[in-house]
């Protein structure tokens, strides 16, 4: 099989219909949220829904960025307080643990982060993280019938910066439905969609196609069982369904990174950038005098994909060039994706083949993993 096209290389929607909700407007609202919260996007960059890398969302240069301007300059800064992490999940869910919920710390990291994301999805526009959560692939359509007692208040959406303990006596009847194409993960696909993904990735080898299909379906079954167990664990404390958790797990495994503290984190806005080997990896840096004043940074660094030691240079950008990030830990950064850290589905479902593991998580196989 020859080298993949750009779409096969880094666009996880290449063989999928573009989500109706994943619109340009939602992306720009997310950018506004980041900027209003003290973040930064270089004036030479602009969000697009037709990126050169397969036609999905991404960031492109609309002005030339010469070498002098690119050297040492952050192109994107996302404040740490906007990120969703396992540390935030463990802290926030103490509210439910005080009511008798099982400890969040008993769960693997990917499940902890998925539980937080599912919780914020249920909160809808009331969530602190709504601009980010609503921009993610796979809309959950919610219908609520609410009976609220006279007693005022609200159970605070789990946040890092604001934790209010206010009681709310609300009875919710919630019906959740997850649209198709909910996440790029191969295990979230079925039928023709999975067939197309396998054909575009594996090629014309029937044996390999069937071997990969079997592994993907096994992982899917494991994940469905995991979603049932997760919903059962917490549905007493907030209206969590297996479908909502299944969606959240797909987002976590396809989008999250590991932190230097060995936690997992979702990076709003940054995770809209497409993958390319040798591109920069998002790093948490101090941006002010206060140790708490930190942000995740993306620059125009270009790393050699081989060699010892691995070298890097600052790269200029011409008009129309796309800004990439590196998803995995191939290269000098130690950051990893969630799929490299755990098997949240349980059992022996997670394969050892890195290319197959990438397809399971991202919906594509980076060319550096193709043999």
């Amino acid at each position: 099989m020859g080298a993949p096209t750009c779409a096969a290389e880094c666009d996880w929607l290449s063989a999928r219909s573009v989500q109706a909700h994943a619109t340009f407007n939602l992306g720009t609202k997310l950018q506004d949220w980041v900027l209003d919260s003290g973040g930064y996007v270089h004036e030479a960059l602009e969000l697009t829904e037709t990126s050169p890398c397969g036609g999905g969302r991404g960031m492109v240069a609309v002005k030339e960025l010469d070498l002098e301007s690119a050297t040492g300059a952050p192109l994107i800064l996302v404040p740490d307080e906007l990120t969703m992490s396992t540390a935030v999940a463990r802290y926030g869910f103490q509210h439910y643990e005080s009511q008798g919920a099982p400890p969040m710390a008993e769960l693997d990291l990917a499940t902890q982060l998925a539980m937080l994301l599912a919780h914020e999805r249920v909160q809808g526009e009331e969530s602190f993280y709504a601009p980010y959560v609503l921009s993610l692939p796979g809309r959950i359509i919610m219908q609520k019938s609410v009976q609220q007692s006279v007693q005022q208040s609200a159970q605070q959406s789990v946040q890092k910066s604001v934790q209010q303990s206010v009681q709310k006596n609300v009875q919710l009847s919630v019906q959740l439905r997850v649209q198709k194409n909910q996440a790029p993960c191969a295990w979230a696909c079925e039928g023709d969609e999975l067939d197309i993904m396998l054909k575009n990735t594996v090629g014309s080898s029937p044996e390999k196609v069937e071997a990969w299909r079997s592994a993907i379906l096994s992982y899917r079954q494991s994940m469905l069982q995991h979603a049932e167990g997760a919903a059962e664990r917490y549905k007493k404390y907030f209206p969590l369904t297996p479908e909502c958790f299944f969606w959240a797990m797909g987002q976590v495994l396809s989008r999250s990174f590991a932190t230097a503290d060995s936690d997992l984190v979702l990076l709003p806005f940054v995770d809209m950038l497409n993958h390319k080997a040798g591109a920069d990896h998002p790093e948490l840096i101090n941006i002010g005098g206060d140790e708490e004043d930190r942000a995740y940074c993306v620059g125009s660094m270009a790393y050699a994909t081989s060699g010892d030691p691995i070298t890097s240079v600052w790269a200029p950008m011409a008009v129309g060039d796309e800004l990439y990030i590196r998803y995995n830990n191939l290269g000098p950064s130690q950051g990893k994706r969630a799929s490299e850290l755990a098997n949240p589905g349980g059992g022996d479902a997670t394969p050892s083949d890195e290319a197959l593991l990438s397809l399971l998580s991202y919906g594509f196989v980076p060319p550096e993993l193709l043999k």
Side-chain angles (χ1 to χ4, degrees):
M1 179 176 165
T5 64
C6 183
E9 176 179 337
C10 49
D11 174 29
W12 57 46
L13 296 179
S14 59
R16 311 163 71 91
S17 59
V18 176
Q19 305 304 306
H21 77 291
T23 62
F24 187 72
N25 286 338
L26 284 175
T28 53
K29 287 181 180 179
L30 175 60
Q31 179 172 335
D32 290 343
W33 181 57
V34 170
L35 295 176
D36 291 343
S37 302
Y40 170 76
V41 177
H42 196 284
E43 63 178 4
L45 297 175
E46 187 172 280
L47 182 66
T48 179
E49 57 182 345
T50 56
S51 68
C53 184
R57 290 189 297 181
M59 294 291 291
V60 297
V62 293
K63 298 179 181 179
E64 181 182 359
L65 189 68
D66 61 30
L67 184 58
E68 182 179 357
S69 300
T71 300
L75 299 185
I76 295 176
L77 291 172
V78 174
D80 188 27
E81 65 184 29
L82 300 187
T83 66
M84 303 180 73
S85 69
T86 46
V88 174
R90 291 190 296 271
Y91 180 76
F93 268 65
Q94 290 177 7
H95 171 77
Y96 294 122
E97 290 171 13
S98 68
Q99 301 175 19
M104 174 70 75
E106 293 178 353
L107 303 173
D108 65 83
L109 294 179
T111 300
Q112 290 177 29
L113 188 52
M115 198 67 72
L116 171 62
L117 181 57
H119 181 276
E120 297 309 297
R121 192 63 161 187
V122 169
Q123 297 299 312
E125 293 186 358
E126 297 178 5
S127 169
F128 169 78
Y129 301 101
Y132 173 59
V133 177
L134 296 176
S135 75
L136 295 173
R139 178 174 53 180
I140 295 178
I141 299 175
M142 306 183 63
Q143 296 175 335
K144 293 186 179 181
S145 129
V146 179
Q147 293 178 344
Q148 183 169 333
S149 71
V150 181
Q151 203 178 23
Q152 181 173 9
S153 235
Q155 184 178 303
Q156 175 67 20
S157 212
V158 181
Q159 304 177 20
K160 182 187 329 191
S161 56
V162 181
Q163 288 291 327
Q164 297 178 346
S165 297
V166 201
Q167 292 292 326
K168 184 181 187 179
N169 183 10
V170 176
Q171 295 177 343
L172 292 175
S173 170
V174 181
Q175 295 178 334
L176 302 177
R177 179 170 65 84
V178 183
Q179 289 184 336
K180 293 185 68 176
N181 298 332
Q182 56 181 312
C185 311
W187 54 265
C189 301
E190 294 184 276
D192 293 342
E193 191 173 27
L194 179 57
D195 290 340
I196 294 172
M197 180 178 289
L198 286 170
K199 181 179 179 181
N200 289 344
T201 305
V202 179
S204 58
S205 170
E207 295 80 7
K208 191 170 185 179
V209 167
E210 290 310 310
W212 281 34
R213 185 196 309 278
S214 177
I216 291 168
L217 294 179
S218 175
Y219 195 93
R220 177 183 176 84
Q221 184 59 35
S222 182
M223 194 61 69
L224 287 169
Q225 294 172 0
H226 187 52
E228 292 284 349
E232 185 65 29
R233 183 183 179 97
Y234 284 106
K235 68 180 183 181
K236 177 181 177 181
Y237 305 97
F238 71 99
L240 177 65
T241 67
E243 293 80 11
C244 184
F245 181 82
F246 187 86
W247 168 85
M249 205 65 177
Q251 308 307 319
V252 168
L253 291 188
S254 62
R255 309 179 84 86
S256 64
F257 296 88
T259 70
D261 299 326
S262 299
D263 280 314
L264 287 179
V265 63
L266 289 166
L267 305 181
F269 196 72
V270 169
D271 64 11
M272 288 200 299
L273 273 62
N274 290 308
H275 167 80
K276 186 176 182 180
D280 196 14
H281 190 280
E283 302 290 349
L284 186 61
I285 64 171
N286 290 322
I287 57 174
D290 192 331
E291 290 185 1
E292 297 300 315
D293 192 8
R294 303 188 300 174
Y296 278 88
C297 175
V298 175
S300 65
M301 294 292 288
Y303 293 88
T305 55
S306 62
D308 187 16
I310 294 177
T311 58
S312 63
V313 296
W314 292 95
M317 296 182 69
V319 174
D321 284 353
E322 184 168 1
L323 178 65
Y324 297 99
I325 56 174
R326 188 177 69 256
Y327 287 174
N328 47 37
N329 67 331
L330 302 178
S333 172
Q334 295 303 307
K336 298 181 180 180
R337 301 286 275 196
S339 58
E340 299 174 80
L341 297 174
N343 174 20
D348 299 322
T350 300
S352 58
D353 186 309
E354 289 189 19
L356 176 53
L357 186 58
S358 178
L359 186 68
L360 277 167
S361 297
Y362 313 143
F364 72 93
V365 180
E368 62 268 25
L369 295 182
L370 291 173
K371 299 177 180 179

